[in-house]
Amino acid sequence: MHIAMIGAGYVGLVSATCFADFGHDVVCIDKDPDRLNALRQGKIPIFEPGLEDLAKSNAEAGRLRFGDDVGKAARGADIVFLAVGTPSRHGDGYADLTFVYEAARDIAPHLAGFTVVVTKSTVPVGTGDEVERIIRDANPAAEFTVVSNPEFLREGSAIEDFKRPDRIIVGTDDTRAQAIMEDVYRPLGANNTPVLFVDRRTAELTKYASNAFLAMKITFINEMADLCERVGADVLGVARGMGMDARIGNRFLDAGPGYGGSCFPKDSTALTNMAQDSDSPLRLVETTVAINDQRRRAMARKVIRACGGRVRGRRIGILGLTFKPGTDDMREAPSIPIIRTLLDAGAVIRAYDPAANAAAHHTLREIEICDDPYDVAQDAIGLAVITEWEEFKSLDLERLGRQMDPMSNVLVDLRNMFDPAEVSKAGLTYEAVGRGNLNRASEAIKFAAE
Ligand code: NAD
C-alpha cells in the first residue's frame, strides 16, 4: 500500500513511521524546511521514546521517506492522510482548520486513480464534507473519497499506542474505502484491535467526545481532591476505590494541577463552541473547561501558601515543565500559568525539566532554567513538582533539602509522586494534592502492594 502522510508532527511522524513498520511504502511531507532537513539527516525533531530508532530502521529499509513534493506523494498514493495541526483559533477557541484546508488544496490537483483521503487530524463535525468540496472544486475529475480516522495516540507512549490501540475508528460509508482502510490496518489484526466503522460525522465527533470525557474525569478527581483536603480524606484512596469499579476504570483519576497539552484544552473548547453553535450546549464540558482554567492559578496559590504566604523576592524551584512526562511538548502545560502566577506574586523562579529545557527557554523567558535538578533547589524556600518524571523518584531528597533555604524547605508535590514518610525523613515539609489524611498523622492509609 502506498501512503502519503501530510504533516510530520507528533501524529504524522509517528503514524508514518508505524505504517512503514507495518510494511507499507510511506512518504511523509512537511512544509517546515528545518524539520525536513533534520528528518532527512535521521534526526527526529520531537522527543518521543523509541521513535528515532524505528524511523531510522524503516528509512534504511526504504519504506519511509521525507520530502516536500506533495504532488509526487499524492500522485503515487492509494491513501493520503492529513495529519496537520488544528490549533485553537486565536481569540475564539474554534478549531483553526487553515492547515487542513490548505493541505486539501495542495493534494487536490495531483490525485490519480482512486484515492482515499483520510483526515487523521482532530476536526469538527462537517470538516470531511468541506475537504471533499475543496478537492471536488479543484479537481472535478478526481476519483476519491474522504474518510475520517481520528488518532488517539498519546505523546510519550505514541508508538505503543499506535501499534496497540484500544480501537480504530473509521468514518466512511464507502465500501471501497472500507476495504482499503482494513488493508492499511491489517497488521493490527494480530493484536485483535477492533476496527469500528461508522459514518464520517460520527467518527469526527467520537474523537472530541473521548477527549472531553477524559478531561472531565481528570477534573472530577481534581475537585474531589480539594474536598479530600477539607474533610481529611485521601484522594489516592478515593481514586483507588473508585477505579476498582470496572464501570469507572482506574485511569485518568490522578489528582494534579489540571490537564494540559496539545489536545485536551483546545479540543474541549472547540467542542463546546461546536455544541453551542448547534443549539445543543454541553454544560458539563463547559464547566470542565472553566474549572481547569481556574485550577492552575489555584495550584500556584497552594504553592505560595505552603511557602508561608509571602514569596516576593524569594526563590521557588520548579521540577518538571512539560504537560506530562515522556514528551518535550510545552503546549498548554500547566507549568506555564502556575509559574506566571508565582512570578506575579514576586517569586524568583528556577526550573528543571529532563526534556523541555530548550523549549522552556522560549516559552518562559523570565525564569532561570537549570541543567541540574539540585541547582533548582539552591536557596529555594520551596520546591514544586509539576510533572511526574520518573527520574524525580530517585532524587536524593536529603541533598535537595540541604541546598534549600534553612528556614523553609517545603516540597509541594502537585503529582502525589513521593512517599510522604520518605520526604519527612529527609527533613522536608511535604504538601500534596488531596491528601487531607496526612494531617491526621497516625491514620495514614496503607494500600496493598501494587
Ligand atoms: P504538530 O503541530 O506537531 O504537527 C503538524 C505538522 O504539520 C507540522 O510539522 C507542520 O509543519 C505540518 N504542516 C502544516 N500544514 C502543512 C501542509 N499544508 N503540508 C505539509 N505539512 C504541513 O501537530 P500534531 O500534534 O501532530 O497534531 C496533528 C493533529 O493530530 C491535530 O489535529 C491534533 O489535534 C491531532 N492529535 C494530536 C495528538 C498529539 O498527541 N499531539 C494526538 C491525537 C491527535
Side-chain angles (χ1 to χ4, degrees):
M1 187 87 55
H2 295 283
I3 295 175
M5 184 70 60
I6 314 297
Y10 284 87
V11 167
L13 210 42
V14 172
S15 308
T17 303
C18 291
F19 279 137
D21 207 47
F22 291 169
H24 300 304
D25 175 71
V26 186
V27 185
C28 190
I29 301 293
D30 205 286
K31 287 205 152 165
D32 179 341
D34 295 338
R35 185 162 280 243
L36 272 184
N37 274 341
L39 287 168
R40 285 187 180 123
Q41 291 166 34
K43 291 185 197 135
I44 296 295
I46 55 173
F47 178 93
E48 185 59 50
L51 185 57
E52 188 149 313
D53 288 346
L54 200 64
K56 190 164 173 260
S57 62
N58 282 285
E60 280 168 5
R63 289 188 297 265
L64 177 62
R65 295 180 303 288
F66 299 102
D68 56 5
D69 190 345
V70 68
K72 192 169 163 208
R75 246 188 322 278
D78 305 302
I79 310 187
V80 181
F81 283 93
L82 308 182
V84 296
T86 50
S88 213
R89 196 165 67 186
H90 196 61
D92 63 14
Y94 283 82
D96 182 347
L97 298 171
T98 314
F99 300 116
V100 175
Y101 295 153
E102 189 181 270
R105 276 191 289 276
D106 290 346
I107 60 165
H110 307 287
L111 299 181
F114 180 68
T115 314
V116 181
V117 177
V118 183
T119 44
K120 216 170 211 344
S121 305
T122 304
V123 293
V125 175
T127 304
D129 302 2
E130 185 61 12
V131 169
E132 189 173 307
R133 193 192 61 73
I134 289 170
I135 299 176
R136 173 91 48 234
D137 284 357
N139 185 356
E143 210 191 333
F144 72 100
T145 189
V146 176
V147 169
S148 164
N149 170 219
E151 182 51 56
F152 294 91
L153 64 77
R154 294 161 303 166
E155 292 173 21
S157 54
I159 293 172
E160 180 66 12
D161 289 349
F162 195 90
K163 291 192 163 185
R164 294 180 192 278
D166 293 333
R167 76 310 204 186
I168 306 277
I169 306 282
V170 179
T172 182
D173 294 324
D174 184 313
T175 48
R176 262 201 300 181
Q178 276 192 16
I180 289 174
M181 293 303 285
E182 272 169 3
D183 268 359
V184 82
Y185 282 114
R186 193 170 306 284
L188 292 184
N191 304 334
N192 295 321
T193 301
V195 181
L196 178 66
F197 286 99
V198 290
D199 63 83
R200 195 163 64 198
R201 287 179 168 240
T202 302
E204 288 169 339
L205 187 55
T206 304
K207 170 69 192 181
Y208 279 106
S210 302
N211 274 2
F213 189 85
L214 293 173
M216 217 165 63
K217 204 172 170 191
I218 293 170
T219 306
F220 178 88
I221 202 68
N222 283 342
E223 285 210 305
M224 207 48 71
D226 291 348
L227 180 59
C228 284
E229 288 181 11
R230 300 290 175 277
V231 300
D234 184 358
V235 75
L236 295 189
V238 173
R240 181 112 183 196
M242 285 173 67
M244 284 172 169
D245 186 331
R247 295 169 303 176
I248 297 172
N250 59 10
R251 293 162 76 190
F252 287 78
L253 283 180
D254 298 314
Y259 61 80
S262 67
C263 292
F264 286 5
K266 79 171 174 67
D267 292 348
S268 308
T269 309
L271 176 63
T272 56
N273 283 348
M274 190 196 326
Q276 282 280 359
D277 291 351
S278 308
D279 290 328
S280 182
L282 294 172
R283 294 193 191 90
L284 279 174
V285 186
E286 284 172 7
T287 305
T288 296
V289 171
I291 294 169
N292 196 64
D293 280 349
Q294 290 155 11
R295 185 157 187 88
R296 296 100 175 287
R297 290 186 78 83
M299 289 298 105
R301 290 196 298 274
K302 182 182 179 70
V303 174
I304 293 170
R305 263 196 318 276
C307 291
R310 289 162 60 114
V311 297
R312 185 160 299 283
R314 316 293 299 277
R315 270 195 187 165
I316 294 180
I318 303 291
L319 292 171
L321 294 167
T322 50
F323 79 97
K324 67 170 179 179
T327 181
D328 59 355
D329 201 338
M330 288 285 295
R331 288 180 279 186
E332 295 287 330
S335 64
I336 300 170
I338 292 174
I339 288 174
R340 291 208 195 290
T341 308
L342 294 174
L343 288 169
D344 287 346
V348 179
I349 305 292
R350 284 181 148 197
Y352 166 79
D353 187 277
N357 273 358
H361 271 298
H362 296 287
T363 319
L364 292 160
R365 290 177 189 279
E366 315 88 321
I367 69 172
E368 187 180 343
I369 307 284
C370 301
D371 292 328
D372 183 329
Y374 296 100
D375 287 348
V376 161
Q378 192 62 50
D379 299 327
I381 55 167
L383 282 177
V385 178
I386 303 188
T387 316
E388 69 279 32
W389 285 95
E390 197 60 26
E391 68 167 67
F392 293 160
K393 285 196 179 141
S394 52
L395 282 171
D396 179 343
L397 296 175
E398 281 183 27
R399 186 174 158 201
L400 277 181
R402 281 197 303 275
Q403 310 276 95
M404 293 176 77
D405 186 322
M407 304 302 287
S408 165
N409 56 3
V410 189
L411 178 65
V412 187
D413 182 1
L414 295 181
R415 297 290 184 173
N416 290 337
M417 68 181 293
F418 287 102
D419 176 349
E422 295 276 309
V423 179
S424 305
K425 211 169 104 198
L428 294 158
T429 306
Y430 186 64
E431 178 74 33
V433 175
R435 307 207 62 189
N437 63 316
L438 296 180
N439 301 330
R440 296 180 290 117
S442 61
E443 294 175 47
I445 292 173
K446 299 248 187 310
F447 296 124
E450 290 282 338

